[in-house]
Amino acid sequence: MDSTQVEINNQTPQTHEKQSKGLWFEALKQLFKNKAAMVGLGIIGLLILTAILAPLLAPYDPLETKILYRLKAPSAQHLLGTDDLGRDIFSRIIYGSRISLQVGLISVGIALVFGVSAGVIAGYYGGKIDMLIMRLMDIMLAFPSILLAIAIMAILGPQLSNAMLAIGIVNLPRFARIVRSSVLTVKEEEYIEAAKSLGASDLRIMLGHLLPNCLAPLIVQSTLSIAGAILEAASLSFLGLGAQPPIPEWGAMLSAGRASLQIAPWVVAFPGLAIAITVLGFNLFGDGLRDALDPKMKDK
């Protein structure tokens, strides 16, 4: 056995995994030192708790209409007032947190599964496969995301489940490009050569060695994409293409409250504030993750 082979064998996948665990621990410590990221994590945690405990926290049924109480200003009886059908806005915002989380997680999950698969295949095999996949991604990125989502919704029809699918498709190219870029770098490492020399299959190398080393940028992009997905879903619902009445989705609440904006501004103010705070929370946490997982930021 020559010296080159000995050197490759010394850099085994197991050795690299041990080094990676140490890096993840350091990144976690760095994350907890970031005050803005902790604020974002607190907002996300509060949103999750609100979604889980919605039946206990909401004082009223979010779908119950009381015409006699329509457009009531915020009071002790209705903390955030009522809408044009007399429904309690506070209760609807609480239940709307469930829909926003569902939209964010499912949409990003769709983008992750298909985007990561496309990126790994393109980066690992290269050649014509790479060119075909990435040119398709480039075509999708050439369209503004909201316009592409509207076009997809025009084909699928206005429905919340279709909105989640459309948002997932729109975000797919970002994940594909990130993973492809990481795979092109990682596949040249010595531990990948060691895995090949030990007879590992392409699928095992992609799933066991390439993907784990793409996790850092994927985690950051996923967190930021959840914020974008919630905002895009609210935009589609505002245009009447997402959640349909009487579903208590924040964007749909904004759309329904437009007619009452001048006489009852709270009808749109509080759902809009809920969207803004939620998106801010995910963005703050995503920025903190980026800073913690980026080696270039460690010295700053």
Side-chain angles (χ1 to χ4, degrees), residues 223-234:
T223 306
L224 295 173
S225 293
I226 290 176
I230 292 172
L231 197 57
E232 289 166 357

Side-chain angles (χ1 to χ4, degrees), residues 69-147:
Y69 289 89
R70 66 186 302 270
L71 299 179
K72 292 290 184 180
S75 62
Q77 186 177 6
H78 297 282
L79 294 178
L80 303 183
T82 62
D83 63 10
D84 59 336
L85 294 178
R87 295 172 298 194
D88 183 66
I89 294 176
F90 181 59
S91 299
R92 288 178 65 79
I93 288 177
I94 288 176
Y95 274 90
S97 64
R98 288 183 163 186
I99 298 174
S100 293
L101 277 177
Q102 179 185 3
V103 167
L105 294 175
I106 293 178
S107 299
V108 172
I110 292 171
L112 263 175
V113 171
F114 293 100
V116 168
S117 300
V120 170
I121 292 172
Y124 185 74
Y125 290 108
K128 293 182 178 180
I129 295 177
D130 181 25
M131 184 181 68
L132 178 63
I133 293 175
M134 297 318 297
R135 293 302 75 77
L136 179 60
M137 298 299 110
D138 290 340
I139 292 172
M140 294 176 66
L141 287 172
F143 295 92
S145 58
I146 189 64
L147 291 182

Side-chain angles (χ1 to χ4, degrees), residues 159-205:
Q159 195 175 344
L160 184 61
S161 58
N162 292 339
M164 290 187 284
L165 179 59
I167 295 168
I169 294 173
V170 166
N171 285 282
L172 188 155
R174 297 186 181 93
F175 288 95
R177 289 170 68 91
I178 289 172
V179 173
R180 174 184 177 271
S181 177
S182 299
V183 168
L184 288 175
T185 302
V186 174
K187 77 174 184 178
E188 303 299 332
E189 297 289 338
E190 291 182 348
Y191 68 90
I192 299 297
E193 294 296 328
K196 290 180 179 179
S197 67
L198 293 172
S201 63
D202 289 346
L203 183 61
R204 182 175 180 181
I205 291 173

Side-chain angles (χ1 to χ4, degrees), residues 1-299:
M1 182 181 295
D2 57 24
S3 58
T4 303
Q5 187 65 38
V6 171
E7 185 177 345
I8 291 177
N9 288 337
N10 288 335
Q11 183 68 17
T12 62
Q14 290 77 10
T15 302
H16 184 79
E17 287 174 5
K18 291 180 180 179
Q19 295 173 350
S20 298
K21 289 180 180 179
L23 293 174
W24 280 103
F25 181 74
E26 289 298 321
L28 193 61
K29 288 173 57 179
Q30 188 80 8
L31 176 65
F32 284 117
K33 293 179 182 178
N34 190 320
K35 294 181 180 179
M38 290 299 98
V39 171
L41 182 61
I43 293 173
I44 295 171
L46 182 61
L47 179 70
I48 294 172
L49 280 176
T50 300
I52 294 173
L53 302 176
L56 299 177
L57 296 176
Y60 299 95
D61 184 340
L63 303 180
E64 182 182 5
T65 61
K66 296 180 180 179
I67 300 301
L68 295 177
Y69 289 89
R70 66 186 302 270
L71 299 179
K72 292 290 184 180
S75 62
Q77 186 177 6
H78 297 282
L79 294 178
L80 303 183
T82 62
D83 63 10
D84 59 336
L85 294 178
R87 295 172 298 194
D88 183 66
I89 294 176
F90 181 59
S91 299
R92 288 178 65 79
I93 288 177
I94 288 176
Y95 274 90
S97 64
R98 288 183 163 186
I99 298 174
S100 293
L101 277 177
Q102 179 185 3
V103 167
L105 294 175
I106 293 178
S107 299
V108 172
I110 292 171
L112 263 175
V113 171
F114 293 100
V116 168
S117 300
V120 170
I121 292 172
Y124 185 74
Y125 290 108
K128 293 182 178 180
I129 295 177
D130 181 25
M131 184 181 68
L132 178 63
I133 293 175
M134 297 318 297
R135 293 302 75 77
L136 179 60
M137 298 299 110
D138 290 340
I139 292 172
M140 294 176 66
L141 287 172
F143 295 92
S145 58
I146 189 64
L147 291 182
L148 182 58
I150 290 173
I152 296 172
M153 291 300 298
I155 298 172
L156 300 178
Q159 195 175 344
L160 184 61
S161 58
N162 292 339
M164 290 187 284
L165 179 59
I167 295 168
I169 294 173
V170 166
N171 285 282
L172 188 155
R174 297 186 181 93
F175 288 95
R177 289 170 68 91
I178 289 172
V179 173
R180 174 184 177 271
S181 177
S182 299
V183 168
L184 288 175
T185 302
V186 174
K187 77 174 184 178
E188 303 299 332
E189 297 289 338
E190 291 182 348
Y191 68 90
I192 299 297
E193 294 296 328
K196 290 180 179 179
S197 67
L198 293 172
S201 63
D202 289 346
L203 183 61
R204 182 175 180 181
I205 291 173
M206 286 189 285
L207 296 180
H209 303 304
L210 291 178
L211 270 184
N213 289 281
C214 302
L215 284 181
L218 278 178
I219 291 173
V220 174
Q221 183 61 38
S222 297
T223 306
L224 295 173
S225 293
I226 290 176
I230 292 172
L231 197 57
E232 289 166 357
S235 300
L236 290 174
S237 296
F238 182 81
L239 296 172
L241 298 174
Q244 301 298 304
I247 297 175
E249 198 274 335
W250 295 338
M253 291 172 67
L254 283 174
S255 180
R258 285 180 298 174
S260 310
L261 179 60
Q262 292 185 342
I263 60 174
W266 58 86
V267 175
V268 296
F270 293 118
L273 189 60
I275 295 172
I277 293 175
T278 300
V279 171
L280 176 64
F282 279 103
N283 281 335
L284 287 176
F285 187 61
D287 287 341
L289 279 174
R290 181 196 59 201
D291 294 346
L293 296 173
D294 187 355
K296 296 178 182 178
M297 304 296 294
K298 298 288 179 65
D299 299 329

